[in-house]
Amino acid sequence: MPILRLALPTPLRRLFDYLPPAGISNDELTQLRPGCRLTVPFGNRELTGYLVEMVEKSALDTEQLKPAVAVLDAAPLVETALLDLCAWAARYYHHPPGEVFVAAFPQKLRKGGPAPALGEPHWALTHQGKGLPEGALKRSARQAAALAMLQSADSIAEQALLDAGVSKAVLRTMQDKALVAREFRLPQPEPATANASLALNPAQQAVLEPLTAALGSFSVHLLEGVTGSGKTEVYLQWIAAAVAQGQQALVLIPEIGLTPQTVARFETRFNATVVVLHSGVTPSERLVAWQTATSGRASIVIGTRSAVFTPLPKLGLIIVDEEHDASYKQQDGFRYSARDVAIKRAQLTSTPILLGSATPALETLHNALSGRYHHHRLPTRAGASTLPDLKAIDLRKQPLRAGLSPALVAAVEETLAAGEQTLLFLNRRGYAPSLQCHDCGWIAQCMACDARLTVHRRQRQLRCHHCGATTGLPAHCGDCQSSHLLTYGLGTEQAEDFLASRFANWPIERVDSDSMQSRTAMSELVERVNTGRPCILLGTQMLTKGHHFTGVGLVGVIDADALMFSPDFRGEERMAQLLTQVAGRAGRGTTPGRVLLQTHHPDHPALQAMLTESYHDRARALLSQREATGMPPFGHLLVLRCDSVNAQAGEAVSYT
Ligand code: ADP
Ligand code: ZN
Ligand code: ZN
């Protein structure tokens, strides 16, 4: 009897050994493979577990092992390489294997539910049915007719049989006699072909050629290409080469960058099944998408972070777009970096992986510069547009209205009058980041976590942007009951109010996670903006990622200082990335754009560097600073965190 080693959804950092279910047949036992689910007894309940490996020996005595209750799947639900990836991730990130495996299975399958049949119902003759002589079943004309039809083909769609006058009752009778069987068949995959693509420019061609040659074995590639340089076009043509060989492509995109535009661009390019996975997908949709991927029918899977665990038996290449994006890191529970997991997956499956960005993470850039990754560059924009011009606006002593200086207001006015769109960037949602009592100095703080509460006027709420707690907007001070409460600081709602009154004749589109709550909000926005009519786009970093707004002539950064002074050692890197990305939204059409940065520190070296150096040069300068100070990627940093309900006990442990 083999011993079954399972990952169980428990917080324990180990696998669990079980015996096969009592009464399992030899046949069933030989069919059992890693990747099948089983129900097993665990304490006084039953859990759905995932078979990871079958071993000869357990650390426990066989008598101590319990038999599993039942095998749930006749065949593995995911390929072996994905199981290996999960096992690796559990070790590498020191996370309980059961919780890692959960990431690879849709919610609906985690509870032990059946993997529903894919495809359309078909009927086919069984072995016994095929053995019937010509002219059998004479006593039932209707069964004889059905038999004759089924003898003419491998299998026939149920609908076609019904259309030909064969009733379900007849089929069921024959099924009872074990002459026919009902089965689900996938529709024949459409041959995956690519529609007309753009003729690549020489720089793109020089990137695509080595990538295409790299198909079929493991290699890591960085594509460092400025915004609008045609990276996506390279992705599309690389994917076309892979799907033409019957392979599947996995494309990861940042959480917020998941625009309907990106997906539409892939869907219109290929006559192939494109599966989309992101947080807005319902559990049922996710299950279908997952099955389309695992059956090999999906040629292209596009998704956010967790899509890196999608089963893809014919994986041929992986692309991580905007690879520097922070949303690839899961920040709670199973903490992992989808980019790094993707690289491991490429290695385990012998496939090439492409990391693309206008602003690569310094770690990635270091790997490319040191020769560990292949390094490709697209230094200029594709097509007609040119990179925008960056300038600072000195805010010192300027009268400000909702944070906007007269110079910026004038620039907005000019841009709109010229028939172009304006994008204003303010990385703080809500009305104001704090509420204070003018009489006693009280500041509204979160009851749950002590952070300052952000004023949200639209919803008449105070919200904690750290832990998500909300309360109603108070009319009186929490200490002295004064009604003289003042807001401090600036959020997008407040800027929106000012802009709406100052530019009453133009639409103001506020884009932040509050205004973009509904599933369709982003696509509706993109549609409105892409009519090209002048408008003001005002938003947080949600606006800066990957969206393609061709009519934007002016980008204004309302508070560049907020980006400049960060205690994080990655602060300057983030600022350079963010500003480069925001600036990249301007001038994507035919007119060169302008970028204005409002600051109280126009001479600050970090800001000066932004104005005069490209990200390419800036990143290299930052890398040498990191090297000089021994910071990552030249050294390692470790956080030891100690959580305790008892402060003294926690401190005692941390000082030992
Ligand atoms: P990125 O992904 O680097 O931002 P895109 O692939 O989105 O760049 O390309 C930016 C713009 O340039 C798009 O409008 C795209 O259609 C256009 N473009 C890309 N490659 C070419 C090309 N070879 N010839 C003409 N236009 C191109
Ligand atoms: Zn007060
Ligand atoms: Zn809080």
Side-chain angles (χ1 to χ4, degrees):
M1 272 285 180
I3 285 154
L4 311 180
R5 191 154 282 172
L6 270 72
L8 295 181
T10 74
L12 298 171
R13 287 180 164 71
R14 45 171 296 201
L15 299 172
F16 297 86
D17 291 351
Y18 285 88
L19 297 172
I24 188 171
S25 73
N26 256 343
D27 264 8
E28 286 169 313
L29 197 58
T30 46
Q31 272 178 16
L32 196 55
R33 295 261 183 291
C36 292
R37 294 168 306 154
L38 292 102
T39 14
V40 294
F42 189 82
N44 51 9
R45 11 172 222 158
E46 282 186 2
L47 291 179
T48 302
Y50 311 93
L51 184 56
V52 177
E53 53 181 348
M54 297 165 79
V55 291
E56 304 268 306
K57 262 208 161 94
S58 171
L60 294 175
D61 288 334
T62 312
E63 299 83 71
Q64 288 179 278
L65 296 178
K66 291 185 191 160
V69 177
V71 178
L72 295 178
D73 305 302
L77 294 184
V78 301
E79 72 268 15
T80 323
L82 185 56
L83 297 173
D84 295 343
L85 184 71
C86 292
W88 170 83
R91 280 197 308 275
Y92 187 75
Y93 294 109
H94 299 277
H95 200 75
E99 293 183 2
V100 175
F101 277 80
V102 155
F105 291 86
Q107 198 190 349
K108 294 218 158 194
L109 295 181
R110 288 177 215 157
K111 302 229 167 75
L118 272 178
E120 300 291 315
H122 279 61
W123 290 87
L125 293 175
T126 59
H127 189 67
Q128 197 178 334
K130 284 184 190 146
L132 287 178
E134 200 84 13
L137 302 177
K138 272 197 293 278
R139 270 185 291 161
S140 161
R142 290 190 299 168
Q143 288 184 29
L147 179 68
M149 274 185 79
L150 287 165
Q151 280 169 335
S152 70
D154 264 359
S155 76
I156 298 184
E158 183 169 279
Q159 196 53 50
L161 289 166
L162 297 180
D163 292 346
V166 179
S167 72
K168 277 201 178 159
V170 166
L171 290 167
R172 257 183 244 120
T173 313
M174 293 172 74
Q175 187 178 26
D176 291 343
K177 294 197 238 168
L179 298 175
V180 298
R182 189 166 187 253
E183 59 192 25
F184 283 81
R185 293 228 168 166
L186 291 177
Q188 275 305 307
E190 297 281 319
T193 53
N195 293 322
S197 48
L198 297 171
L200 294 186
N201 62 38
Q204 288 169 315
Q205 195 63 44
V207 178
L208 183 65
E209 271 165 24
L211 284 175
T212 310
L215 291 174
S217 58
F218 170 61
S219 52
V220 188
H221 301 258
L222 167 64
L223 175 51
E224 186 185 7
V226 299
T227 47
S229 59
K231 295 185 292 296
T232 311
E233 189 59 36
V234 172
Y235 302 160
L236 290 167
Q237 299 202 19
W238 192 35
I239 293 171
V243 297
Q245 300 176 19
Q247 297 173 339
Q248 294 175 297
L250 172 63
V251 182
L252 297 181
I253 54 183
E255 221 152 70
I256 308 174
L258 182 68
T259 63
Q261 274 170 301
T262 320
V263 175
R265 210 163 151 193
F266 280 77
E267 281 174 342
T268 51
R269 179 62 63 88
F270 296 100
N271 300 312
T273 307
V274 178
V275 156
V276 183
L277 289 166
H278 58 90
S279 55
V281 171
T282 67
S284 308
E285 288 170 334
R286 188 173 295 275
L287 181 60
V288 171
W290 186 86
Q291 289 190 306
T292 317
T294 189
S295 68
R297 193 153 53 97
S299 298
I300 301 169
V301 171
I302 307 180
T304 48
R305 184 173 65 220
S306 62
V308 74
F309 292 106
T310 311
L312 291 157
K314 296 189 284 183
L315 184 63
L317 66 81
I318 306 178
I319 292 168
V320 184
D321 190 26
E322 310 288 358
E323 65 85 33
H324 65 279
D325 198 284
S327 74
Y328 285 124
K329 279 198 184 174
Q330 173 128 327
Q331 305 283 6
D332 50 13
F334 169 32
R335 290 164 205 256
Y336 66 95
S337 153
R339 177 191 65 208
D340 297 349
V341 173
I343 293 172
K344 185 68 191 177
R345 185 165 187 183
Q347 190 196 26
L348 288 173
T349 52
S350 299
T351 49
I353 176 167
L354 176 61
L355 312 176
S357 177
T359 55
L362 294 188
E363 287 81 0
T364 305
L365 195 63
H366 178 59
N367 279 328
L369 293 175
S370 64
R372 288 182 62 191
Y373 297 172
H374 299 266
H375 194 179
H376 313 275
R377 292 194 59 205
L378 292 174
T380 54
R381 283 193 165 177
S385 70
T386 47
L387 278 168
D389 198 23
L390 273 74
K391 284 208 173 61
I393 294 179
D394 186 352
L395 286 183
R396 286 173 297 185
K397 298 192 181 151
Q398 292 294 310
L400 299 181
R401 303 221 24 215
L404 276 76
S405 63
L408 184 55
V409 171
V412 171
E413 182 126 57
E414 269 168 39
T415 309
L416 294 171
E420 290 179 342
Q421 297 167 335
T422 292
L423 186 157
L424 295 177
F425 175 71
L426 178 63
N427 211 12
R428 211 178 294 118
R429 66 200 165 84
Y431 186 84
S434 97
L435 183 71
Q436 194 171 8
C437 172
H438 194 52
D439 291 344
C440 78
W442 169 85
I443 292 173
Q445 282 181 326
C446 176
M447 303 292 270
C449 76
D450 280 357
R452 289 190 177 187
L453 289 168
T454 301
V455 179
H456 284 253
R457 274 225 179 135
R458 303 278 187 279
Q459 294 86 5
R460 304 207 48 77
Q461 275 181 342
L462 287 174
R463 290 192 185 168
C464 176
H465 287 189
H466 281 270
C467 73
T470 60
T471 59
L473 198 58
H476 300 281
C477 167
D479 272 352
C480 76
Q481 307 306 319
S482 156
S483 58
H484 205 167
L485 299 180
L486 300 177
T487 60
Y488 281 92
L490 177 68
T492 47
E493 288 183 2
Q494 197 176 145
E496 182 185 26
D497 288 351
F498 164 71
L499 292 167
S501 64
R502 177 65 182 73
F503 297 101
N505 292 332
W506 281 283
I508 318 283
E509 303 277 2
R510 180 166 62 92
V511 183
D512 54 35
S513 51
D514 297 321
S515 67
M516 291 289 126
Q517 290 255 316
S518 91
R519 275 182 78 172
T520 52
M522 190 51 110
S523 54
E524 286 161 10
L525 169 91
V526 168
E527 220 162 87
R528 283 196 301 277
V529 174
N530 280 348
T531 59
R533 279 196 287 275
C535 67
I536 298 176
L537 283 152
L538 163 72
T540 59
Q541 54 178 333
M542 197 173 229
L543 258 186
T544 65
K545 300 194 178 174
H547 304 284
H548 215 276
F549 298 122
T550 47
V552 173
L554 170 70
V555 169
V557 178
I558 295 179
D559 187 3
D561 297 345
L563 304 170
M564 213 143 54
F565 302 101
S566 158
D568 189 336
F569 78 94
R570 290 199 171 91
E572 275 197 58
E573 176 187 357
R574 294 264 157 76
M575 166 174 160
Q577 288 167 341
L578 198 60
L579 289 182
T580 307
Q581 296 283 350
V582 187
R585 302 308 119 199
R588 289 193 144 219
T590 41
T591 47
R594 275 205 289 173
V595 180
L596 298 174
L597 308 176
Q598 293 201 127
T599 175
H600 284 96
H601 306 271
D603 302 320
H604 192 285
L607 190 91
Q608 278 303 318
M610 276 310 303
L611 299 179
T612 52
E613 289 175 25
S614 65
Y615 181 83
H616 180 77
D617 297 331
R618 185 82 194 116
R620 281 151 185 78
L622 291 175
L623 261 181
S624 40
Q625 283 177 18
R626 295 265 184 97
E627 186 165 20
T629 51
M631 288 303 222
F634 298 94
H636 297 283
L637 289 183
L638 189 76
V639 178
L640 281 179
R641 220 182 82 177
C642 186
D643 288 330
S644 172
V645 284
N646 176 330
Q648 278 172 353
E651 279 172 19
V653 170
S654 19
Y655 291 131
T656 50

